[in-house]
């Protein structure tokens, strides 16, 4: 197994509070409840769409921000048998859960606040994923897109950045998805009441040489080249 999570000292940020929502009981249900049921029936974007992003863009030196349970890292097709994987989250329970799931890869786990400049032990990456991360970040849009600014110094030229996020605006919501979104925001599970397709497009366009966004249901699936 890889190293135990390297923790930052300061846990008083809003990001830490948002990360703490993902407790051990919630993570135990995450694959079945969130990916299996909510993604398909409410957000109308099956997890196969996110897995396809991984299969297209993941590389041999990969950074996964907000790895969740490790579901996609466990299933995706890496271009090498032993990729170098670094997991970043501010919740040590999330890191430990994902790290155990992909123990065969010996992933490194780092507790970091992605809304602050990150120290990643000198590592540089050729791919980075932010899957279902942006809609959890506590800062309002467009301030939350500073995560890309803190990511860029750790990427090699031509690195692929990809991910997905549930949007509040610029996508077609149903009555069910709108109600569920409001409840998730009220409970602090999501922090995306200001997030829009337009703001995401501007954030990517101002930071990357090339980017693409595809909408499936209420979810924006994106990829960009550093």
């Amino acid at each position: 197994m890889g190293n135990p999570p390297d923790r930052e000292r300061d846990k008083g940020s809003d990001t830490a509070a948002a990360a703490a929502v993902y407790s051990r009981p919630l993570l135990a249900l995450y694959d079945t409840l969130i990916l299996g049921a909510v993604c398909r029936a409410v957000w109308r974007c099956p997890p196969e769409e996110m897995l396809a992003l991984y299969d297209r863009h993941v590389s041999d030196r990969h950074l996964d921000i907000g790895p969740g349970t490790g579901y996609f890292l466990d299933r995706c097709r890496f271009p090498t048998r032993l990729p170098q994987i670094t997991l970043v989250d501010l919740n040590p329970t999330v890191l430990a859960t994902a790290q155990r799931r992909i123990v065969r890869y010996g992933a490194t786990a780092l507790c970091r606040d992605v809304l602050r400049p990150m120290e990643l032990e000198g590592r540089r990456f050729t791919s980075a994923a932010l899957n279902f991360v942006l809609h959890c970040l506590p800062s309002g849009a467009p301030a939350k897109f500073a995560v890309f600014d803190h990511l860029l110094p750790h990427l090699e030229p031509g690195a692929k950045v990809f991910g997905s996020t549930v949007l509040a605006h610029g996508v077609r919501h149903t009555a069910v998805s709108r109600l569920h979104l409001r409840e998730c925001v009220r409970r602090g599970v999501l922090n995306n009441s200001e997030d829009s397709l337009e703001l995401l497009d501007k954030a990517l366009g101002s930071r990357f040489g090339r980017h693409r966004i595809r909408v499936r249901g209420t979810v924006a699936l994106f990829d960009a080249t550093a």
Side-chain angles (χ1 to χ4, degrees):
M1 186 171 179
N3 65 302
D6 172 28
R7 305 189 183 191
E8 286 186 336
R9 292 181 181 178
D10 183 5
K11 296 296 188 296
S13 70
D14 290 341
T15 318
V21 170
Y22 292 86
S23 61
R24 188 170 286 106
L26 178 57
L27 289 171
L29 297 171
Y30 190 87
D31 291 359
T32 301
L33 180 62
I34 306 301
L35 297 179
V38 175
C39 279
R40 294 181 189 277
V42 180
W43 305 138
R44 310 189 314 284
C45 180
E48 289 82 7
E49 296 282 349
M50 284 78 93
L51 182 58
L53 274 181
Y54 274 82
D55 285 340
R56 280 197 298 271
H57 301 300
V58 77
S59 73
D60 59 347
R61 282 185 286 149
H62 178 69
L63 172 65
D64 216 83
I65 295 176
T69 64
Y71 178 93
F72 296 105
L73 292 171
D74 186 34
R75 285 168 166 75
C76 72
R77 296 190 298 267
F78 284 95
T80 183
R81 188 173 64 85
L82 289 175
Q84 299 174 32
I85 302 172
T86 299
L87 312 174
V88 167
D89 202 287
L90 202 47
N91 184 328
T93 303
V94 168
L95 290 173
T97 299
Q99 197 177 33
R100 282 194 302 269
R101 187 162 190 170
I102 58 168
V103 65
R104 64 190 182 277
Y105 294 134
T108 296
L110 302 174
C111 281
R112 299 292 186 264
D113 184 342
V114 297
L115 290 181
R116 299 179 181 182
M118 296 181 289
E119 192 284 309
L120 299 182
E121 301 181 348
R123 291 176 171 85
R124 292 182 65 81
F125 304 94
T126 48
S127 64
L130 300 94
N131 194 65
F132 272 24
V133 170
L134 296 174
H135 61 219
C136 295
L137 296 179
S139 295
K144 66 170 61 183
F145 298 124
V147 61
F148 295 126
D149 300 320
H150 302 151
L151 170 62
L152 280 167
H154 306 287
L155 300 178
E156 297 284 9
K160 295 294 184 180
V161 177
F162 62 94
S164 60
T165 186
V166 176
L167 297 175
H169 309 287
V171 295
R172 187 177 67 83
H173 274 277
T174 64
V176 171
S177 68
R178 182 66 68 188
L179 181 64
H180 188 68
L181 178 66
R182 288 173 182 166
E183 180 62 15
C184 286
V185 170
R186 185 188 69 80
R187 295 171 57 193
V189 176
L190 299 183
N191 294 280
N192 63 342
S193 58
E194 299 175 11
D195 293 8
S196 70
L197 185 61
E198 180 183 7
L199 288 174
L200 177 61
D201 185 59
K202 287 181 178 178
L204 293 170
S206 64
R207 292 169 171 89
F208 297 96
R210 185 198 66 82
H211 76 281
R212 176 174 51 188
I213 302 174
R214 184 168 58 89
V215 174
R216 181 74 185 267
T218 64
V219 176
L221 301 119
F222 61 86
D223 63 85
T225 304

